[in-house]
């Protein structure tokens, strides 16, 4: 009997591992936001795999626009523009404000992956914080644009703006007309400043890069948000 004991123990461990694997797979099916192999859906809550899925959309035009189609989101897809390192093929403008507050100006047309991240950012970060600090929704997002074929200032690397894989947000306008801007309110030490800092902090789980006035003077008037795909998967939040 002693000679069979190691085999029985091994068999028992294998059974337990199989049961655990089956339960884990069932749990992932019930929580696809944590499953990196499940397709991205705008309606899903954020999960462990959300940013990974958003980054994947940055390189898959078909899958990205299909996610908006499944969500019933109205949008205008803009024609690709630029060449080489400045080729932007995902530019889009949402119609209506069901997913993202009205953009001002309206023609920024960030890439699809950035827009998808902005939809979750609006739902899970911006609007909850707007209610917390001001008791109302953000109605408009003022921006400094998305597409700009250029290198990162002071560096040789190409900016994510070169493919419209970025957006610069300069101010938040609330339903009652209250305007909170990065240039005027970041360092005021009041609820406007607290709101802006909280929005910055809450952005870091969604976007690949988040740069604020705390980063450098070049970002004193806006939040830079992008979905840069990096080899090691690291992110930047400053």
């Amino acid at each position: 009997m002693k000679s069979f004991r190691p085999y029985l123990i091994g068999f028992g461990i294998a059974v337990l591992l199989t049961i655990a694997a089956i339960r884990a797979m069932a749990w992932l099916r019930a929580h696809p936001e944590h499953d990196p192999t499940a397709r991205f859906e705008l309606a899903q809550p954020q999960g462990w795999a959300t940013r990974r899925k958003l980054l994947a959309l940055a390189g898959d035009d078909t899958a990205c626009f299909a996610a908006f189609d499944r969500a019933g989101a109205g949008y205008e897809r803009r024609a690709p523009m630029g060449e080489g390192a400045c080729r932007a093929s995902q530019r889009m403008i949402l119609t209506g404000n069901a997913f993202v507050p009205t953009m001002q100006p309206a023609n920024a047309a960030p890439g699809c992956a950035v827009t998808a991240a902005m939809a979750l950012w609006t739902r899970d970060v911006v609007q909850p914080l707007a209610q917390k600090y001001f008791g109302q929704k953000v109605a408009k997002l003022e921006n400094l644009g998305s597409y700009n074929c250029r290198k990162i200032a002071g560096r040789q690397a190409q900016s994510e703006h070169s493919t419209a894989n970025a957006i610069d947000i300069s101010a938040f306008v609330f339903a009652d007309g209250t305007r909170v801007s990065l240039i005027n309110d970041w360092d005021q030490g009041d609820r406007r400043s607290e709101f802006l800092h909280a929005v910055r902090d809450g952005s870091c789980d969604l976007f690949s890069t988040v740069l604020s006035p705390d980063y450098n003077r070049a970002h004193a008037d806006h939040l830079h948000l992008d979905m840069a795909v990096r080899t090691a998967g690291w992110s930047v939040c400053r």
Side-chain angles (χ1 to χ4, degrees):
M1 184 65 180
K2 288 183 178 179
S3 61
F4 288 102
R5 183 171 296 174
Y7 297 102
L8 290 173
I9 292 174
F11 177 75
I13 292 173
V15 170
L16 290 174
L17 290 174
T18 300
I19 293 172
I22 292 172
R23 290 184 175 179
M25 291 173 63
W27 187 85
L28 280 177
R29 283 195 296 271
H31 301 85
E33 66 272 17
H34 301 304
D35 182 358
T37 66
R39 71 183 185 185
F40 172 81
E41 301 289 353
L42 284 165
Q44 291 174 354
Q46 287 190 53
W48 302 328
T50 299
R51 184 162 61 189
R52 180 174 173 178
K53 293 181 184 183
L54 288 169
L55 288 171
L57 294 180
D60 192 335
D61 296 11
T62 300
C64 192
F65 286 105
F68 280 93
D69 292 335
R70 290 192 301 273
Y75 63 88
E76 297 175 4
R77 184 172 180 178
R78 294 301 176 91
M81 64 187 302
E83 299 295 338
C86 290
R87 180 69 170 175
S89 62
Q90 287 196 358
R91 296 170 65 242
M92 67 184 296
I93 294 177
L94 291 174
T95 56
N97 57 4
F99 290 88
V100 175
T102 300
M103 297 288 282
Q104 195 172 23
N107 62 350
C112 183
V114 174
T115 304
M118 288 183 68
L120 302 191
W121 179 64
T122 296
R123 183 192 69 194
D124 299 337
V125 179
V126 175
Q127 298 299 17
L129 289 172
Q131 289 292 340
K132 175 181 177 180
Y133 286 97
F134 295 91
Q136 58 183 309
K137 288 186 175 183
V138 169
K140 296 179 182 179
L141 291 174
E142 294 184 11
N143 69 86
L144 302 180
S146 176
Y147 181 77
N148 185 359
C149 179
R150 62 175 176 80
K151 296 185 182 298
I152 298 173
R155 296 173 57 186
Q156 290 303 307
Q158 205 73 20
S159 168
E160 291 299 312
H161 283 286
S162 297
T163 57
N165 196 30
I167 186 73
D168 291 339
I169 302 297
S170 57
F172 301 81
V173 181
F174 292 83
D176 68 353
T178 298
R179 181 176 181 271
V180 179
S181 69
L182 277 293
I183 191 65
N184 293 322
D185 300 309
W186 183 260
D187 291 320
Q188 291 306 307
D190 56 9
R191 65 172 178 166
R192 294 176 179 231
S193 175
E194 291 178 10
F195 167 76
L196 291 173
H197 282 77
V199 167
R200 187 273 310 275
D201 295 345
S203 306
C204 301
D205 289 334
L206 283 167
F207 295 95
S208 181
T209 310
V210 178
L211 301 177
S212 72
D214 284 346
Y215 178 52
N216 61 19
R217 294 176 63 183
H219 294 82
D221 61 351
H222 67 275
L223 284 177
H224 168 93
L225 309 171
D226 74 40
M227 293 310 299
V229 179
R230 301 184 176 95
T231 303
W234 52 274
S235 60
V236 177
C237 185
R238 299 177 181 175

